[in-house]
Amino acid sequence: MQFTLKQLRYFDAALRTGSIAKAALEMNISQSSITAAIDMLEQLIGVPLFRRVPAKGIMPTEAGKVAGKRIAEFLEQARVFENDLSSLSGEPEGMLNLGCYAPTAPHVLPPLLKRIAEVYPAIRINLREGDMQTIVDMLHSGAVDMALTYRRSTPETMPFLPLFRARPWALLPDVSPLAQQDGVTIPELADLPMIMLDLARAGEYFSSLFTAQGLTPNIVHSTKSSSVLRALVAANFGYSILNICSPADRHGQNGYVARPILGQVHDPLFGIAYTAAGQKSKLVQVVLEIGRDLERSGSYEPLLLPE
C-alpha cells in the first residue's frame, strides 16, 4: 500500500468531525483534498470506509471504524516520533497538540503557556478547546497529546497529573442579597432561578450538587458559553455555578460576584490528562514537569478558595 501521512490525517479529521466540510476547515485545505484522501484509502483497502448520508454528512462503515482506530493510533505514534526526532539536537522542540476544557481555558492556560515559552521556546503549541467529552475523544484519537481537564471526565486507566481541586463557586447578580455573604449553601440556592452551563458532563455534575442533598435546581436558562452565562447572571436572570473563577469574578465589577459554595460538596480534581503513548513523548514529559512545578509553586492558588 502507498499512502501519505497527510492522507491519513485527512481521513482522521473526516472521521472525527463526521463531515468533509468540517475536516477541510480543521485541516485548512480544500474539501476536494479530503475527498481524494478518502477515495485513495478506499481504493487501497478495497472496501468502502464511509457512507455519504444526505444532510447528515458522512458515517463510517464497520471497516471505516476499524481503519480509523488503527490510523489514529498510528498518527499518535507518528507525532511522538516526529517530535522526538526534532529534539535530538538537545532542547525539546516541535509541535505539541494541547487540549483544554473550554470554560477553564482563560484561567488555567496562561500560567502553563507562559512557563513553556520561557523554558522551552522551541516548543510550538497547537491549542484545541472543547467540552469534556470532546477532550476525551481528542485524547483517544490522538488529535491532542495532552489536555487540561477534570479527572472525573477521563477514564480511570488514562494517566493524569493532578494540579488542584476545584471547589464550586456560585455566580450571583451583584444585586442579590446572597452577594453580600462570604459564602452560600446549596439549600440557599435551590429555589432561585439558575442558569446552567449546558456542556457534556458539566450539567450532570452541577445537578448532582443538589440531588446529593435531596434538592432539585430551578433551571430557567441554559447555555454552552461561559461568557453568555456570565452576561445572563450580570443581567439578573439568575445565578449560576462554575468550578473555576478568577479573583476578578469575586469583586463584583461586572454586574455579578462569585461566592464559594459552603458545606459538603464535591470538589473535582483538575489537571493534565494524557495517553500512555503520549507519555513516551519528550514534549509531553517536559510539559508534565512544568505542570508539577506550577502545582508545587502555588501558581494556581489565586483560583482556589482563600485560606
Side-chain angles (χ1 to χ4, degrees):
M1 289 186 182
Q2 293 185 354
F3 46 78
T4 66
L5 273 175
K6 278 188 177 180
Q7 288 172 326
L8 296 181
R9 286 173 176 143
Y10 295 167
F11 174 90
D12 177 69
L15 182 64
R16 285 188 289 101
T17 62
S19 164
I20 290 175
K22 290 179 181 178
L25 184 64
E26 177 182 307
M27 303 303 295
N28 195 28
I29 56 165
S30 67
Q31 294 186 34
S32 61
S33 296
I34 299 289
T35 301
I38 293 173
D39 291 343
M40 173 66 73
L41 287 171
E42 288 181 332
Q43 291 175 16
L44 288 172
I45 296 174
V47 295
L49 300 177
F50 286 105
R51 290 184 291 108
R52 277 66 170 178
V53 182
K56 291 187 178 180
I58 53 177
M59 299 287 291
T61 62
E62 287 303 314
K65 292 177 183 178
V66 173
K69 182 179 179 181
R70 295 181 181 177
I71 287 172
E73 292 171 350
F74 175 77
L75 289 175
E76 185 173 1
Q77 294 171 356
R79 271 188 293 272
V80 172
F81 177 70
E82 289 171 344
N83 289 336
D84 285 348
L85 279 183
S86 299
S87 302
L88 285 178
S89 59
E91 288 296 313
E93 62 177 276
M95 177 68 74
L96 178 75
N97 295 304
L98 178 65
C100 188
Y101 177 48
T104 68
H107 311 293
V108 299
L109 277 176
L112 182 67
L113 296 182
K114 183 178 180 181
R115 186 69 62 85
I116 293 172
E118 290 172 348
V119 181
Y120 300 108
I123 295 180
R124 304 184 308 280
I125 304 294
N126 176 34
L127 286 175
R128 301 283 298 277
E129 296 177 37
D131 59 39
M132 283 184 276
Q133 184 58 55
T134 300
I135 292 296
V136 172
D137 291 343
M138 288 194 293
L139 283 164
H140 280 312
S141 70
V144 297
D145 304 302
M146 57 199 319
L148 291 152
T149 189
Y150 289 102
R151 180 53 168 160
R152 60 187 170 83
S153 70
T154 62
E156 291 185 4
T157 55
M158 182 173 286
F160 187 87
L161 172 67
L163 294 178
F164 57 85
R165 284 202 169 274
R167 190 174 183 86
W169 295 77
L171 264 63
L172 303 157
D174 58 9
V175 297
S176 169
L178 293 181
Q180 308 309 312
Q181 302 179 181
D182 293 331
V184 298
T185 65
I186 290 296
E188 287 177 312
L189 296 171
D191 292 332
L192 301 177
M194 179 184 185
I195 301 160
M196 176 70 80
L197 183 62
D198 186 23
L199 292 174
R201 302 193 181 189
E204 61 188 50
Y205 163 73
F206 295 127
S207 293
S208 73
L209 297 176
F210 294 84
T211 56
Q213 299 190 35
L215 301 168
T216 303
N218 177 24
I219 301 169
V220 295
H221 294 288
S222 63
T223 175
K224 297 184 183 299
S225 166
S226 57
S227 297
V228 172
L229 180 148
R230 283 176 164 83
L232 291 175
V233 173
N236 200 22
F237 283 98
Y239 75 93
S240 191
I241 299 178
L242 292 175
N243 284 92
I244 295 180
C245 292
S246 70
D249 287 328
R250 308 169 204 172
H251 298 155
Q253 298 173 344
N254 299 305
Y256 63 85
V257 63
R259 292 290 181 259
I261 295 181
L262 308 177
Q264 302 241 336
V265 289
H266 176 52
D267 50 347
L269 195 60
F270 190 91
I272 303 175
Y274 52 101
T275 63
Q279 191 173 9
K280 302 174 184 177
S281 164
K282 189 173 183 179
L283 293 190
V284 169
Q285 285 300 317
V286 298
V287 173
L288 287 174
E289 187 53 41
I290 287 175
R292 294 186 186 97
D293 287 343
L294 291 174
E295 188 275 330
R296 286 192 291 260
S297 64
S299 296
Y300 289 110
E301 284 184 1
L303 303 177
L304 309 181
L305 288 173
E307 295 295 334

